Amino acid sequence: NIVALLCLAYVAILAMCFIDIDISFDPSLLHPVGFLKAMQGFPIMIFAFSCQQNICSVADEMKDVSVKKLNTVSWTATLSGLLMYLPVMIIPLVMFGREEDANKPTFLELLPHNSVAVQIGFIASALSVCISYVLVVQPVRRTIFSIIYGNNQPEIGSRKESIARLVVVMIVMLASLGIAIAAGSSLGPTLEFTGLLGGNTVGFVLPSI
């Protein structure tokens, strides 16, 4: 997780180093395209902010757990995420939000590819996504286990648990890969599907059961 965060921080710094904002930029770039387009973003919001269920895992693993410690973890995680994501969201949008740049899948595509720093940024971005996605799959796997086994969870490390874990993770990863391939260069449908599936399963289906 620390490696993924460091990679993300590098991409954020990269965005700021290559920035060349025209102060006369059109502020409408920051406005929603339309009501329906804004509604399409909600599944992605669900996916991005469904991390609150991880507080249960944090509480389980924390030594001498207390409400004060959990509050500290929550606030520091929220503030650090805000500080890292704001420049990544706003700066590239202001700099590269022109209509002619809209067909580019990521803002990294608009930076000079012959730059070693940018090439490292591509690697860091891919590495961050790979690590982060595995971390996202973990609570989904635990949710599926809870739905299937209920209170009779297989012992961690046992042959039954290892095989079940491998099967569930492989199904999730293959389904994600299939959706990503079908979506092509557009990551929107992939994120929307993952947001609806992951967010609703972890946030609503399991608690109701």
Side-chain angles (χ1 to χ4, degrees):
N1 197 16
I2 292 175
V3 172
L5 289 173
L6 289 175
C7 289
L8 185 62
Y10 178 85
V11 174
I13 294 171
L14 191 68
M16 289 184 282
C17 289
F18 278 88
I19 191 169
D20 185 20
I21 295 179
D22 182 358
I23 58 174
S24 62
F25 78 96
D26 186 1
S28 64
L29 292 174
L30 302 177
H31 298 168
V33 176
F35 178 76
L36 291 178
K37 196 70 176 177
M39 291 298 101
Q40 290 176 359
F42 268 96
I44 300 177
M45 294 284 287
I46 293 172
F47 171 63
F49 296 102
S50 64
C51 53
Q52 64 270 12
Q53 78 275 354
N54 291 330
I55 197 68
C56 300
S57 301
V58 172
D60 287 339
E61 298 174 7
M62 185 179 288
K63 185 178 180 180
D64 300 326
V65 62
S66 66
V67 174
K68 183 178 180 181
K69 282 187 175 182
L70 291 175
N71 284 338
T72 302
V73 169
S74 299
W75 278 109
T76 52
T78 302
L79 290 175
S80 60
L82 186 66
L83 290 173
M84 291 172 80
Y85 276 104
L86 271 180
V88 174
M89 288 187 298
I90 301 299
I91 292 176
L93 182 63
V94 171
M95 184 175 176
F96 305 117
R98 299 177 297 272
E99 187 174 351
E100 61 268 22
D101 297 331
N103 60 341
K104 297 292 184 180
T106 69
F107 84 93
L108 289 172
E109 294 286 345
L110 298 165
L111 300 181
H113 290 192
N114 58 346
S115 169
V116 175
V118 175
Q119 293 171 3
I120 294 174
F122 275 105
I123 297 172
S125 179
L127 187 60
S128 177
V129 171
C130 290
I131 296 172
S132 301
Y133 196 78
V134 173
L135 294 174
V136 169
V137 171
Q138 193 265 352
V140 174
R141 174 180 62 77
R142 292 184 62 176
T143 300
I144 294 173
F145 270 36
S146 298
I147 293 173
I148 295 174
Y149 296 109
N151 293 327
N152 301 315
Q153 295 287 318
E155 184 180 349
I156 296 177
S158 65
R159 179 177 174 80
K160 180 180 180 181
E161 190 270 344
S162 298
I163 293 175
R165 171 159 41 89
L166 181 63
V167 169
V168 169
V169 171
M170 286 297 291
I171 290 173
V172 173
M173 296 297 286
L174 288 174
S176 303
L177 179 61
I179 295 167
I181 292 173
S185 61
S186 175
L187 296 178
T190 307
L191 288 173
E192 289 165 12
F193 178 82
T194 309
L196 286 173
L197 179 66
N200 281 296
T201 302
V202 176
F204 298 103
V205 176
L206 180 62
S208 68
I209 291 176

